[in-house]
Structure formats: structure tokens, C-alpha cells
Amino acid sequence: MKAPRVTDTTLRDGSHAMKHQFTREQVQQIVQALDAAGVPVIEVTHGDGLAGSSIQYGFSGTSEMDLIETARQSATRAKIAALLIPGIGTRQELREAAQRGVQVVRIATHCTEADISEQHFGLAKELGLETVGFLMMAHMRPPEFLAEQAALMESYGADCVYIVDSAGAMLPDDARARVRALKERLSIQVGFHAHNNLGLAIGNTLAAIEAGADQVDGCLRGLGAGAGNAPTELIAAVLDRLGINPGLDVFALMDAAEYVVAPIMPYQPIPDRDAITIGYAGVYSTFLLHARHIAAEFGLDPRELLVELGRRQAVAGQEDWILDVAVDLAQAKQRVA
């Protein structure tokens, strides 16, 4: 195994848990702590990426462009990254983010929709940015299919493509097989982004590294959506024990998690009942509240509704489908009765 590059996404994925209310002061403190600890890339944006601040996704307390600018001013060594989801963020926001100091853009699509990212990769290259592709909800498709999608991103100009376990649904063999498929197909780097819904964020990250992952992600204290992400300080400790520490200060990251991030966290993300259900079902966390309300109307357990949605491979944007699936399940129960 070789030492991977670690990107910390506390200030992006952690924005979900913070209801997108990070302040300039908090960004400055977190970036300075991560930078001093040797973290080479720090991601800063709304949880749903550039232009995510909206009634649909939740309004930011402080403009993400201001947070990006603060992050760039606070880092002495680390690169500042931003997430962009085509359809939410546009080329206009990408241009402004670059002007404010972003050096790396991570362009994220559903794992079947890499083709919608071509213009965004093209502009990012024109702006001189490092480019990373994100294949979200990657548990939903087999390794060979994902490799084809990743190859599209490579052809558009990606410098790296990530397998993204958005629902925290993967097991170590799933992570290993997907990363390996991309390593065999691509001539660029491969990354892995874990969530902890099944308690496997660190295990899956290690499996990805064993399969050759060049880049991995973490969040201080695991602060992220759902059950959170692989904790950056844990990644550092484990890599150090394995003898492949890429230059991270383990103690400094432990202190950053304990004394900088923990005091501002509204709660500690854990694999609780809801998070486990999302990982077990393999669906987006946005389905959870809808499933609860609709299941109550039909006398269903929301977990069985979510599992059925996962079986039918529902994706974000199909929340209206929950009602149809609930009707099907309720009718099936009536027939059995």
C-alpha cells in the first residue's frame, strides 16, 4: 500500500450537520488547524456544493464565497477545494469560486450521469484548477459500469475520479472492487469517499487504499451527513500505524477534532437507527422524513418502505415516488391479510 492524499471535508460535508451555518471565524480556526497538521486539501462549500444555499437545500448563514475566501487566506500550505453538482452549481459560481481562491474543484454527479459534467470540467481546466470527479451513490452500480462512467470524466479532463459511498451502504469488498475497477481502467488517480452509516467508514477507506486508492476523504470528528464520515484524525492514526502516513500530524489532528470542532458541533454523528436504515436500504438521507410521514399514513414501518425504495434503486429527486411505493406495499399487505 502507498500513502494516499487526504482531503478534509469538514467544512463541506460537515455543513450538513451544521445546517450550513459555519462562520468565517470557525472556517479560519478549522483551516488553520488542518493546515498546521499537514492536511494537503481542505474542502469548503455549502453541503450541497456551490450555489447549494437555497430553500430546497437550506440557506447558508454566511456566503460560501466569503467562507472560501477566508479559507484561502487562512491556509499557508493546503489547497482549498470546492464541490460542484451540475444542476445546482453553474459555471458562474465556479468562476467566482476560482476568483475567491479555490484551487481544486470536485465535480459530482449521480454515478450514472457522468455525461452531464463535461462543460464543468472544461471550464475548470480553462481556469487552471485541479479537477476531481465524484461518482455519487456508487453502491448502486457494479464496478465495470462505474469504470465506464469514470472514463468519461477522465476524457473530460478529470485528474482523479472518486468512488463515493453517499449512503454509507458499501461493505469493504464493495469498496475494494470498485476502486480496483477504476484503477485498472483509468490512467489518472482514483479516490474514495466514505460515510459511516453501517459503521464501516474507516474499514471501507482502508479497503479502498488496499485496492490502490490515491486519494481519500475524512472529516474531523466524523462531522458529516448521515452518520458522518471517516474521521480525519482516525485516518491519520491508522495510516501512521500502517507505516504509510502521508505527512499528517496525528496528535495535532486529534487536538483539532477535540478542541476546535467538537465544541461547535450540534451533535456527534453516529450510526443511530435512522442512519443505519439509510445505509442498510442504500438510499439518500433526504428520503427519511418523507418515508416517515407517508409510512404513518399507510400503517407501514418506514424502514420497510426505505428498503423497498432501495431495492427499486430510487435516486435523489424521486421523493414523489415514495407515495407510489407505499401504496404498493400497503395493497400487498391487504392481499396477504
Side-chain angles (χ1 to χ4, degrees):
M1 292 189 291
K2 65 179 184 298
R5 184 175 83 167
V6 175
T7 295
D8 183 273
T9 184
T10 305
L11 293 168
R12 198 281 301 170
D13 217 324
S15 183
H16 290 293
M18 295 291 291
K19 296 184 178 178
H20 317 295
Q21 300 303 300
F22 278 121
T23 66
R24 277 182 178 263
E25 181 181 12
Q26 290 167 344
V27 167
Q28 180 185 45
Q29 292 172 347
I30 292 170
V31 168
Q32 286 177 343
L34 289 167
D35 188 59
V39 174
V41 183
I42 302 169
E43 187 179 46
V44 185
T45 29
H46 184 282
D48 294 283
L50 294 172
S53 179
S54 62
I55 192 170
Q56 291 91 346
Y57 302 109
F59 289 107
S60 299
T62 302
S63 162
E64 64 184 348
M65 296 301 175
D66 290 343
L67 299 183
I68 287 168
E69 187 174 72
T70 298
R72 181 63 185 274
Q73 293 169 351
S74 303
T76 60
R77 296 180 293 176
K79 292 182 177 180
I80 302 303
L83 183 79
L84 185 150
I85 301 175
I88 299 177
T90 69
R91 290 180 292 179
Q92 177 180 338
E93 285 83 29
L94 180 55
R95 286 192 182 94
E96 183 176 357
Q99 291 170 356
R100 294 292 195 105
V102 159
Q103 298 147 291
V104 182
V105 62
R106 302 183 351 145
I107 300 170
T109 74
H110 185 70
C111 65
T112 63
E113 298 177 347
D115 60 332
I116 69 172
S117 65
E118 182 174 7
Q119 62 179 313
H120 303 86
F121 279 110
L123 176 59
K125 282 301 181 184
E126 289 178 20
L127 295 171
L129 303 177
E130 180 183 339
T131 52
V132 176
F134 253 41
L135 293 174
M136 299 187 293
M137 297 295 281
H139 74 280
M140 296 182 69
R141 290 293 184 272
E144 297 76 17
F145 180 92
L146 297 171
E148 294 293 331
Q149 293 291 299
L152 286 178
M153 287 184 163
E154 180 180 23
S155 72
Y156 302 152
D159 298 309
C160 174
V161 178
Y162 266 67
I163 292 294
V164 181
D165 188 15
S166 311
M170 289 188 195
L171 303 178
D173 282 348
D174 299 323
R176 189 178 292 109
R178 284 159 174 77
V179 169
R180 185 177 294 124
L182 266 61
K183 290 294 293 183
E184 291 173 353
R185 177 64 189 271
L186 307 181
S187 59
I188 57 174
Q189 291 195 348
V190 175
F192 185 77
H193 177 97
H195 278 267
N196 203 39
N197 294 57
L198 295 179
L200 291 169
I202 288 291
N204 286 342
T205 298
L206 286 179
I209 293 169
E210 289 172 357
D214 305 284
Q215 300 185 30
V216 297
D217 288 1
C219 291
L220 288 171
R221 196 84 175 195
L223 182 64
N229 301 66
T232 303
E233 65 276 16
L234 267 177
I235 292 175
V238 171
L239 293 179
D240 196 64
R241 287 287 302 273
L242 288 170
I244 53 171
N245 187 338
L248 304 173
D249 186 326
V250 178
F251 285 2
L253 287 171
M254 291 165 61
D255 289 344
E258 192 77 13
Y259 302 121
V260 180
V261 172
I264 67 172
M265 290 171 61
Y267 61 90
Q268 175 64 57
I270 59 170
D272 60 12
R273 181 176 182 266
D274 291 342
I276 294 169
T277 299
I278 292 298
Y280 181 70
V283 297
Y284 272 110
S285 57
T286 53
F287 282 43
L288 183 60
L289 291 179
H290 298 293
R292 280 180 180 161
H293 295 150
I294 293 173
E297 291 180 23
F298 288 87
L300 300 170
D301 185 325
R303 290 173 293 185
E304 62 182 327
L305 181 51
L306 288 165
V307 168
E308 179 62 17
L309 286 161
R311 189 187 69 80
R312 299 189 189 192
Q313 298 195 328
V315 301
Q318 293 181 319
E319 284 81 0
D320 57 339
W321 196 17
I322 299 174
L323 179 59
D324 295 334
V325 175
V327 170
D328 290 346
L329 290 176
Q331 291 176 344
K333 286 194 170 188
Q334 288 177 353
R335 289 193 294 269
V336 172

